[in-house]
Amino acid sequence: MGEFNWGDLINPEFYINLEIAGHKIGLYVVLFIVFAETGLLAGFFLPGDSLLFLSGIYSKALLSEVVVIESDFLNVLGVASLVALAGIIGNLFGYWFGSKSGNYLYQKEDGFLFKKKYLFESKAFFEKHGGRAIIFARFLPVVRTFTPIIAGVANMEFKKFLFYNIISSIAWSFSLIFAGHYLYRFLLDSYGFDLTHYIEYIIIIIIAITTVPFVVKLIKNKRAKK
C-alpha cells in the first residue's frame, strides 16, 4: 500500500485494494463500511454507493479473498449477497440503537461527526414515506445512516421494519453491484472502454445522481416553509 493521504478516505478504490502484510482485505473492509454506514452514526461520510458500484467491477478479486470461483456471475452474486447481509445487520443495529437511545439523540449537542440537522432531515423523510422510507433511504447518502435509528426511536413495528430492511438492502446492493460489473464488462467488451481508468469521474457522477435530487428537494421544502 502506498503513502496514505486524507483524500483516500472518500476514495472507494482505496478500501477495495487495501492490504495488510501482503494479504488483501478489501472484501472485509467493504462489508464493514456497509455495516458502519447503515448502522453507526459515524459512518455517514463513508463512500457507500460508489463503493458498491466499484465492488461490482472488482467482484472477482474481492471474493477471491475468501474463495476462488471461476463463474463470473457467481462472483458478482457472492459479493452482492454478502453486502446485502452486511446492510441488513447494519440497519438492525441502527434500529436497536434508536429504540434504546430514545430521545437522547435529540438532546445531543452537535459534534465533529454528529450533526443534529441530519437527524431532523431523516425524521421528516421517514414521517413522509413511512415504511417505504427504509427502501428509499438506502439510495440516499446520510439519510440511510439515520433512518433505521429514527425507525427505532419511533418504535416502528419490528416485523414491518425487518421486511423493508431486507428488501431495501437486497435492492441496493444487487442493483449497484450488478450495474457496476455488467456496465464495466459491456463497455470493455464492446468499445474497449475501461471504466477503471476513470474512477474519479465515476465517483463524481454517482455522488451527483444520489445527492443532487435530495439537496434540491430540501431547498424546495425550505423555500416552501418560508
Side-chain angles (χ1 to χ4, degrees):
M1 185 170 61
E3 185 178 349
F4 171 79
N5 66 75
W6 288 104
D8 289 333
L9 293 178
I10 58 173
N11 180 6
E13 198 172 25
F14 166 75
Y15 298 105
I16 289 174
N17 294 323
L18 266 179
E19 295 184 13
I20 293 182
H23 298 284
K24 292 184 177 296
I25 58 170
L27 179 62
Y28 306 103
V29 176
V30 168
L31 296 178
F32 175 76
I33 288 176
V34 171
F35 168 80
E37 198 189 17
T38 56
L40 303 177
L41 285 173
F44 67 88
F45 67 91
L46 295 169
D49 299 316
S50 55
L51 180 68
L52 265 60
F53 189 87
L54 288 184
S55 293
I57 296 177
Y58 292 101
S59 57
K60 185 174 183 178
L62 286 172
L63 198 64
S64 66
E65 298 170 18
V66 178
V67 60
V68 177
I69 301 176
E70 294 301 322
S71 171
D72 201 38
F73 173 77
L74 289 180
N75 278 299
V76 186
L77 179 64
V79 172
S81 299
L82 290 172
V83 169
L85 181 60
I88 291 170
I89 296 173
N91 258 21
L92 285 173
F93 185 85
Y95 177 90
W96 171 84
F97 178 77
S99 65
K100 295 298 181 182
S101 64
N103 293 319
Y104 162 75
L105 293 175
Y106 291 102
Q107 309 301 324
K108 181 178 172 61
E109 296 296 326
D110 285 355
F112 177 70
L113 293 176
F114 176 80
K115 302 294 181 183
K116 198 179 298 183
K117 67 176 182 178
Y118 298 144
L119 198 61
F120 286 111
E121 289 169 0
S122 300
K123 183 176 185 294
F125 187 82
F126 179 76
E127 290 176 345
K128 179 178 180 180
H129 298 286
R132 293 176 300 171
I134 308 297
I135 297 178
F136 297 152
R138 284 285 186 182
F139 298 87
L140 296 173
V142 179
V143 175
R144 65 170 155 259
T145 301
F146 291 93
T147 298
I149 296 173
I150 296 296
V153 172
N155 291 318
M156 180 180 184
E157 183 184 356
F158 180 73
K159 289 183 179 179
K160 183 178 180 181
F161 171 81
L162 183 60
F163 171 77
Y164 284 110
N165 177 25
I166 294 174
I167 295 299
S168 65
S169 189
I170 292 174
W172 180 53
S173 59
F174 275 65
S175 62
L176 285 171
I177 290 174
F178 271 79
H181 180 81
Y182 285 104
L183 179 61
Y184 165 74
R185 292 307 317 173
F186 171 75
L187 292 176
L188 186 63
D189 295 341
S190 301
Y191 304 102
F193 187 82
D194 192 343
L195 282 177
T196 59
H197 296 161
Y198 302 91
I199 299 298
E200 295 85 358
Y201 298 102
I202 293 174
I203 296 172
I204 293 173
I205 291 172
I206 292 178
I207 289 176
I209 291 174
T210 56
T211 60
V212 170
F214 182 61
V215 172
V216 170
K217 183 67 174 177
L218 286 178
I219 293 174
K220 287 183 178 180
N221 289 341
K222 288 181 179 179
R223 287 178 177 177
K225 290 178 180 178
K226 290 182 179 179

